[in-house]
Structure formats: structure tokens, C-alpha cells
Amino acid sequence: MILRAGLTGGIASGKSTVAKTFVRLGAHVIDADAVVAELYRPGNPGFDAIVESYGRHVLRPDGEIDRAKLSAIALADPESASELNALIHPLVIAEEARMMEEEADGSGGDRIVIVEAALLLESGGRNRYDHIIVVDVDPDTQLKRAIARGMDRNEALRRIARQMSREDRLALADYVIDNRGTREETERQTREVYAKLEARLREDSASS
């Protein structure tokens, strides 16, 4: 049996750092961005969908999708962003489901599988997972961290604006990891959440 959990949070909230801690604790983590990158490779469904919808001018000279160029075109406004999400999200969701089932078939025992995705809740993830984990920081901290990573301020504000609001995200969370403090504090909270997931998995396994 596997327990399916979704891990999300706003831009620059620290999802990847938390995901790495979950891996060290024993979870199998699926990175949605890595799934997208693979789907965008030539010969895969995402590549074909993008070229059909946006044309070959979104390709680099080596034939790969130029993700920066695609983002500039497709994410220029909310309507364009919605169109790209509607095109790609079903493919990503299907691939994540396939990967989770593959993990369930090959694990040989109970396992916690976590999907890390920025737009997990925006794409209806509340209904796809047993539990939702939100990594939370306030908007000011998000913006400062995004800029510290080298992102343009306006680009950071645009990305924050197109994500679900902090309040709505927290309202859908089963577990919240507050990442405004030290790394040690975040890791402590992550361990606590993982222990709760393990307990739920044991309960579910015993009752099945």
C-alpha cells in the first residue's frame, strides 16, 4: 500500500528543501518540474502538444523546447497561462499517476509517495492525494527569497500573483510546515509531519 501526499507552496517557499528532507526520511518524492522537463523532450507528448499549439519558433537550435521563450509567450497574462496549464497539466497528472502506481507495484511494502508541485492545488490536487502538505512563508519573505535567487522583482511578483493565495492554500492543507525560521526548525517540522504520515499509513494498512 502507498500513501499519496502532495507537497506544495508558493514560489520561493522552500518546497525543494523540504522535499529533500522527506527523501532522507524514506519517502519516494516525484518532482513535478522534472516530470514536465521529461514530457517536453522531443518524442514525448508534451513536446508534440507544445509545438502543435505554439509552433516551432519556441524550439532552441538543438531542437529542444526553449522553456524561457515558452514562458515569456505563454505566461504573459493570466489567460495565456491558463491555456498552457490546460494543455500540459493533464499530461503531467497522468504521468505522475503512472509513476505512483509503478512505485506501488514495485515497492514490495507500504510506502509514502510525495508529489512536489508548485501548482498542485491550482490543478485540482486536493482530490488526487490522501494528504496535502503546504510549505508556508509570508509574501514579503517569498519576494525577498525569489530576488535573492536572482529572479527579477517584477517577474517574482507576476508569479506570486498567478498562484493561489496564501489563505486559500492554507485552507486546503492537512499539514503546514512554517519555513520562515531556521533550517533546523523547518527540518524538525518536516520530521514531525513525516511521523504523522507514517502513522496514517500504518493505520490504513492495518484496516485494509
Side-chain angles (χ1 to χ4, degrees):
M1 170 178 287
I2 65 170
L3 181 148
R4 297 168 171 83
L7 174 65
T8 192
I11 182 176
S13 60
K15 297 181 297 300
S16 296
T17 298
V18 170
K20 290 175 183 176
T21 301
F22 277 130
V23 170
R24 290 198 298 271
L25 292 169
H28 178 74
V29 175
I30 297 170
D31 180 352
D33 196 54
V35 172
V36 171
E38 185 60 28
L39 288 171
Y40 278 3
R41 296 292 307 279
N44 288 335
F47 179 91
D48 296 338
I50 291 298
V51 171
E52 182 177 347
S53 296
Y54 295 97
R56 299 191 65 84
H57 65 278
V58 297
L59 301 182
R60 303 193 311 243
D62 63 2
E64 299 278 351
I65 289 175
D66 187 329
R67 295 186 66 175
K69 182 180 291 186
L70 177 63
S71 293
I73 296 171
L75 306 183
D77 54 68
E79 183 178 350
S80 296
S82 295
E83 290 174 357
L84 177 61
N85 290 338
L87 185 69
I88 295 301
H89 278 169
L91 300 176
V92 176
I93 291 167
E95 178 61 12
E96 289 168 351
R98 185 197 66 77
M99 294 171 73
M100 284 189 284
E101 289 307 314
E102 183 177 72
E103 182 65 21
D105 293 339
S107 64
D110 296 340
R111 192 78 188 271
I112 295 171
V113 179
I114 299 173
V115 173
E116 175 203 347
L119 299 179
L120 185 141
L121 293 172
E122 289 85 339
S123 63
R126 172 68 269 184
N127 297 321
R128 295 197 303 274
Y129 302 100
D130 303 312
H131 303 279
I132 298 295
I133 307 160
V134 168
V135 182
D136 180 56
V137 295
D138 58 275
D140 286 344
T141 299
Q142 275 185 277
L143 184 58
K144 289 176 183 176
R145 289 180 180 175
I147 293 172
R149 293 178 184 177
M151 187 176 292
D152 175 78
R153 177 185 175 84
N154 290 333
E155 172 67 9
L157 288 170
R158 184 171 67 85
R159 293 197 181 198
I160 290 172
R162 78 180 182 88
Q163 291 185 324
M164 182 177 287
S165 72
R166 183 188 187 192
E167 293 75 19
D168 289 345
R169 191 183 298 116
L170 290 173
L172 294 172
D174 296 302
Y175 304 104
V176 176
I177 296 173
D178 185 342
N179 194 28
R180 292 174 295 176
T182 64
R183 180 181 293 269
E184 292 74 19
E185 176 61 17
T186 298
E187 289 187 355
R188 181 191 64 77
Q189 294 177 66
T190 305
R191 288 194 299 271
E192 290 177 354
V193 170
Y194 190 73
K196 292 176 181 177
L197 294 177
E198 285 187 309
R200 292 300 300 269
L201 178 58
R202 287 193 297 269
E203 291 174 8
D204 292 345
S205 182
S207 63
S208 64

PDB file of all heavy atoms in Angstrom, residues 18-39:
ATOM      1  N   VAL A  18      12.358  21.070   1.664  1.00  0.00           N
ATOM      2  CA  VAL A  18      11.525  20.151   2.448  1.00  0.00           C
ATOM      3  C   VAL A  18      11.462  18.788   1.765  1.00  0.00           C
ATOM      4  O   VAL A  18      11.540  17.747   2.431  1.00  0.00           O
ATOM      5  CB  VAL A  18      10.113  20.743   2.634  1.00  0.00           C
ATOM      6  CG1 VAL A  18       9.157  19.701   3.219  1.00  0.00           C
ATOM      7  CG2 VAL A  18      10.175  21.966   3.541  1.00  0.00           C
ATOM      8  N   ALA A  19      11.345  18.782   0.441  1.00  0.00           N
ATOM      9  CA  ALA A  19      11.280  17.521  -0.306  1.00  0.00           C
ATOM     10  C   ALA A  19      12.540  16.694  -0.077  1.00  0.00           C
ATOM     11  O   ALA A  19      12.473  15.460   0.081  1.00  0.00           O
ATOM     12  CB  ALA A  19      11.093  17.798  -1.793  1.00  0.00           C
ATOM     13  N   LYS A  20      13.699  17.338  -0.061  1.00  0.00           N
ATOM     14  CA  LYS A  20      14.953  16.618   0.170  1.00  0.00           C
ATOM     15  C   LYS A  20      14.977  15.983   1.563  1.00  0.00           C
ATOM     16  O   LYS A  20      15.502  14.877   1.741  1.00  0.00           O
ATOM     17  CB  LYS A  20      16.136  17.567  -0.002  1.00  0.00           C
ATOM     18  CG  LYS A  20      16.363  17.994  -1.447  1.00  0.00           C
ATOM     19  CD  LYS A  20      17.473  19.032  -1.557  1.00  0.00           C
ATOM     20  CE  LYS A  20      17.643  19.501  -2.993  1.00  0.00           C
ATOM     21  NZ  LYS A  20      18.650  20.584  -3.115  1.00  0.00           N
ATOM     22  N   THR A  21      14.410  16.661   2.534  1.00  0.00           N
ATOM     23  CA  THR A  21      14.331  16.092   3.871  1.00  0.00           C
ATOM     24  C   THR A  21      13.417  14.876   3.884  1.00  0.00           C
ATOM     25  O   THR A  21      13.739  13.854   4.504  1.00  0.00           O
ATOM     26  CB  THR A  21      13.823  17.140   4.884  1.00  0.00           C
ATOM     27  OG1 THR A  21      14.712  18.265   4.896  1.00  0.00           O
ATOM     28  CG2 THR A  21      13.745  16.555   6.297  1.00  0.00           C
ATOM     29  N   PHE A  22      12.304  14.957   3.180  1.00  0.00           N
ATOM     30  CA  PHE A  22      11.398  13.800   3.087  1.00  0.00           C
ATOM     31  C   PHE A  22      12.110  12.600   2.451  1.00  0.00           C
ATOM     32  O   PHE A  22      11.916  11.466   2.873  1.00  0.00           O
ATOM     33  CB  PHE A  22      10.152  14.157   2.284  1.00  0.00           C
ATOM     34  CG  PHE A  22       9.084  14.855   3.076  1.00  0.00           C
ATOM     35  CD1 PHE A  22       8.511  16.034   2.613  1.00  0.00           C
ATOM     36  CD2 PHE A  22       8.633  14.331   4.277  1.00  0.00           C
ATOM     37  CE1 PHE A  22       7.517  16.681   3.349  1.00  0.00           C
ATOM     38  CE2 PHE A  22       7.635  14.970   5.017  1.00  0.00           C
ATOM     39  CZ  PHE A  22       7.077  16.140   4.550  1.00  0.00           C
ATOM     40  N   VAL A  23      12.925  12.853   1.448  1.00  0.00           N
ATOM     41  CA  VAL A  23      13.672  11.766   0.808  1.00  0.00           C
ATOM     42  C   VAL A  23      14.617  11.118   1.816  1.00  0.00           C
ATOM     43  O   VAL A  23      14.706   9.883   1.910  1.00  0.00           O
ATOM     44  CB  VAL A  23      14.456  12.286  -0.410  1.00  0.00           C
ATOM     45  CG1 VAL A  23      15.432  11.218  -0.924  1.00  0.00           C
ATOM     46  CG2 VAL A  23      13.506  12.690  -1.527  1.00  0.00           C
ATOM     47  N   ARG A  24      15.324  11.937   2.588  1.00  0.00           N
ATOM     48  CA  ARG A  24      16.244  11.389   3.590  1.00  0.00           C
ATOM     49  C   ARG A  24      15.503  10.567   4.642  1.00  0.00           C
ATOM     50  O   ARG A  24      16.047   9.602   5.193  1.00  0.00           O
ATOM     51  CB  ARG A  24      17.017  12.524   4.269  1.00  0.00           C
ATOM     52  CG  ARG A  24      18.029  13.211   3.374  1.00  0.00           C
ATOM     53  CD  ARG A  24      19.042  14.006   4.185  1.00  0.00           C
ATOM     54  NE  ARG A  24      18.416  15.063   4.953  1.00  0.00           N
ATOM     55  CZ  ARG A  24      18.206  16.291   4.499  1.00  0.00           C
ATOM     56  NH1 ARG A  24      18.574  16.612   3.256  1.00  0.00           N
ATOM     57  NH2 ARG A  24      17.650  17.220   5.262  1.00  0.00           N
ATOM     58  N   LEU A  25      14.258  10.922   4.906  1.00  0.00           N
ATOM     59  CA  LEU A  25      13.467  10.202   5.898  1.00  0.00           C
ATOM     60  C   LEU A  25      12.905   8.890   5.356  1.00  0.00           C
ATOM     61  O   LEU A  25      12.433   8.059   6.127  1.00  0.00           O
ATOM     62  CB  LEU A  25      12.325  11.094   6.399  1.00  0.00           C
ATOM     63  CG  LEU A  25      12.760  12.309   7.244  1.00  0.00           C
ATOM     64  CD1 LEU A  25      11.586  13.257   7.450  1.00  0.00           C
ATOM     65  CD2 LEU A  25      13.333  11.861   8.579  1.00  0.00           C
ATOM     66  N   GLY A  26      12.930   8.736   4.030  1.00  0.00           N
ATOM     67  CA  GLY A  26      12.481   7.473   3.445  1.00  0.00           C
ATOM     68  C   GLY A  26      11.352   7.561   2.444  1.00  0.00           C
ATOM     69  O   GLY A  26      10.926   6.538   1.898  1.00  0.00           O
ATOM     70  N   ALA A  27      10.849   8.753   2.177  1.00  0.00           N
ATOM     71  CA  ALA A  27       9.759   8.905   1.213  1.00  0.00           C
ATOM     72  C   ALA A  27      10.287   8.817  -0.216  1.00  0.00           C
ATOM     73  O   ALA A  27      11.459   9.097  -0.489  1.00  0.00           O
ATOM     74  CB  ALA A  27       9.048  10.240   1.412  1.00  0.00           C
ATOM     75  N   HIS A  28       9.410   8.423  -1.120  1.00  0.00           N
ATOM     76  CA  HIS A  28       9.711   8.499  -2.555  1.00  0.00           C
ATOM     77  C   HIS A  28       9.071   9.793  -3.056  1.00  0.00           C
ATOM     78  O   HIS A  28       7.853   9.970  -2.962  1.00  0.00           O
ATOM     79  CB  HIS A  28       9.132   7.294  -3.299  1.00  0.00           C
ATOM     80  CG  HIS A  28       9.365   7.350  -4.771  1.00  0.00           C
ATOM     81  ND1 HIS A  28      10.594   7.105  -5.342  1.00  0.00           N
ATOM     82  CD2 HIS A  28       8.524   7.643  -5.807  1.00  0.00           C
ATOM     83  CE1 HIS A  28      10.508   7.233  -6.646  1.00  0.00           C
ATOM     84  NE2 HIS A  28       9.268   7.556  -6.959  1.00  0.00           N
ATOM     85  N   VAL A  29       9.889  10.716  -3.564  1.00  0.00           N
ATOM     86  CA  VAL A  29       9.396  12.027  -3.994  1.00  0.00           C
ATOM     87  C   VAL A  29       9.447  12.140  -5.511  1.00  0.00           C
ATOM     88  O   VAL A  29      10.468  11.844  -6.136  1.00  0.00           O
ATOM     89  CB  VAL A  29      10.210  13.167  -3.352  1.00  0.00           C
ATOM     90  CG1 VAL A  29       9.769  14.524  -3.916  1.00  0.00           C
ATOM     91  CG2 VAL A  29      10.038  13.159  -1.828  1.00  0.00           C
ATOM     92  N   ILE A  30       8.335  12.574  -6.083  1.00  0.00           N
ATOM     93  CA  ILE A  30       8.233  12.834  -7.519  1.00  0.00           C
ATOM     94  C   ILE A  30       8.222  14.346  -7.716  1.00  0.00           C
ATOM     95  O   ILE A  30       7.354  15.045  -7.181  1.00  0.00           O
ATOM     96  CB  ILE A  30       6.948  12.212  -8.103  1.00  0.00           C
ATOM     97  CG1 ILE A  30       6.978  10.687  -7.956  1.00  0.00           C
ATOM     98  CG2 ILE A  30       6.770  12.612  -9.573  1.00  0.00           C
ATOM     99  CD1 ILE A  30       5.656  10.017  -8.293  1.00  0.00           C
ATOM    100  N   ASP A  31       9.186  14.859  -8.457  1.00  0.00           N
ATOM    101  CA  ASP A  31       9.315  16.291  -8.718  1.00  0.00           C
ATOM    102  C   ASP A  31       8.536  16.630  -9.987  1.00  0.00           C
ATOM    103  O   ASP A  31       8.911  16.211 -11.086  1.00  0.00           O
ATOM    104  CB  ASP A  31      10.793  16.641  -8.877  1.00  0.00           C
ATOM    105  CG  ASP A  31      11.038  18.122  -9.145  1.00  0.00           C
ATOM    106  OD1 ASP A  31      10.055  18.867  -9.359  1.00  0.00           O
ATOM    107  OD2 ASP A  31      12.202  18.535  -9.142  1.00  0.00           O
ATOM    108  N   ALA A  32       7.449  17.377  -9.834  1.00  0.00           N
ATOM    109  CA  ALA A  32       6.607  17.695 -10.984  1.00  0.00           C
ATOM    110  C   ALA A  32       7.372  18.461 -12.052  1.00  0.00           C
ATOM    111  O   ALA A  32       7.132  18.281 -13.249  1.00  0.00           O
ATOM    112  CB  ALA A  32       5.381  18.496 -10.542  1.00  0.00           C
ATOM    113  N   ASP A  33       8.309  19.309 -11.645  1.00  0.00           N
ATOM    114  CA  ASP A  33       9.071  20.069 -12.638  1.00  0.00           C
ATOM    115  C   ASP A  33       9.946  19.142 -13.471  1.00  0.00           C
ATOM    116  O   ASP A  33      10.113  19.354 -14.678  1.00  0.00           O
ATOM    117  CB  ASP A  33       9.932  21.124 -11.944  1.00  0.00           C
ATOM    118  CG  ASP A  33      10.427  22.184 -12.927  1.00  0.00           C
ATOM    119  OD1 ASP A  33       9.597  22.778 -13.629  1.00  0.00           O
ATOM    120  OD2 ASP A  33      11.653  22.404 -12.996  1.00  0.00           O
ATOM    121  N   ALA A  34      10.486  18.095 -12.840  1.00  0.00           N
ATOM    122  CA  ALA A  34      11.278  17.114 -13.586  1.00  0.00           C
ATOM    123  C   ALA A  34      10.386  16.322 -14.540  1.00  0.00           C
ATOM    124  O   ALA A  34      10.810  15.960 -15.646  1.00  0.00           O
ATOM    125  CB  ALA A  34      11.993  16.174 -12.621  1.00  0.00           C
ATOM    126  N   VAL A  35       9.150  16.066 -14.118  1.00  0.00           N
ATOM    127  CA  VAL A  35       8.191  15.378 -14.995  1.00  0.00           C
ATOM    128  C   VAL A  35       7.902  16.235 -16.224  1.00  0.00           C
ATOM    129  O   VAL A  35       7.893  15.740 -17.360  1.00  0.00           O
ATOM    130  CB  VAL A  35       6.882  15.062 -14.242  1.00  0.00           C
ATOM    131  CG1 VAL A  35       5.814  14.522 -15.209  1.00  0.00           C
ATOM    132  CG2 VAL A  35       7.135  14.052 -13.132  1.00  0.00           C
ATOM    133  N   VAL A  36       7.695  17.539 -16.011  1.00  0.00           N
ATOM    134  CA  VAL A  36       7.440  18.453 -17.131  1.00  0.00           C
ATOM    135  C   VAL A  36       8.639  18.467 -18.083  1.00  0.00           C
ATOM    136  O   VAL A  36       8.482  18.402 -19.310  1.00  0.00           O
ATOM    137  CB  VAL A  36       7.155  19.874 -16.615  1.00  0.00           C
ATOM    138  CG1 VAL A  36       7.110  20.869 -17.780  1.00  0.00           C
ATOM    139  CG2 VAL A  36       5.837  19.914 -15.854  1.00  0.00           C
ATOM    140  N   ALA A  37       9.847  18.552 -17.507  1.00  0.00           N
ATOM    141  CA  ALA A  37      11.055  18.595 -18.336  1.00  0.00           C
ATOM    142  C   ALA A  37      11.156  17.360 -19.229  1.00  0.00           C
ATOM    143  O   ALA A  37      11.537  17.457 -20.404  1.00  0.00           O
ATOM    144  CB  ALA A  37      12.293  18.708 -17.446  1.00  0.00           C
ATOM    145  N   GLU A  38      10.796  16.202 -18.691  1.00  0.00           N
ATOM    146  CA  GLU A  38      10.851  14.974 -19.479  1.00  0.00           C
ATOM    147  C   GLU A  38       9.760  14.961 -20.548  1.00  0.00           C
ATOM    148  O   GLU A  38       9.999  14.548 -21.696  1.00  0.00           O
ATOM    149  CB  GLU A  38      10.703  13.761 -18.565  1.00  0.00           C
ATOM    150  CG  GLU A  38      10.864  12.417 -19.263  1.00  0.00           C
ATOM    151  CD  GLU A  38      12.223  12.228 -19.912  1.00  0.00           C
ATOM    152  OE1 GLU A  38      13.214  12.822 -19.440  1.00  0.00           O
ATOM    153  OE2 GLU A  38      12.289  11.481 -20.915  1.00  0.00           O
ATOM    154  N   LEU A  39       8.569  15.423 -20.192  1.00  0.00           N
ATOM    155  CA  LEU A  39       7.484  15.470 -21.169  1.00  0.00           C
ATOM    156  C   LEU A  39       7.797  16.431 -22.316  1.00  0.00           C
ATOM    157  O   LEU A  39       7.292  16.265 -23.441  1.00  0.00           O
ATOM    158  CB  LEU A  39       6.177  15.891 -20.493  1.00  0.00           C
ATOM    159  CG  LEU A  39       5.518  14.853 -19.581  1.00  0.00           C
ATOM    160  CD1 LEU A  39       4.369  15.490 -18.811  1.00  0.00           C
ATOM    161  CD2 LEU A  39       5.007  13.664 -20.399  1.00  0.00           C
TER     162      LEU A  39
END
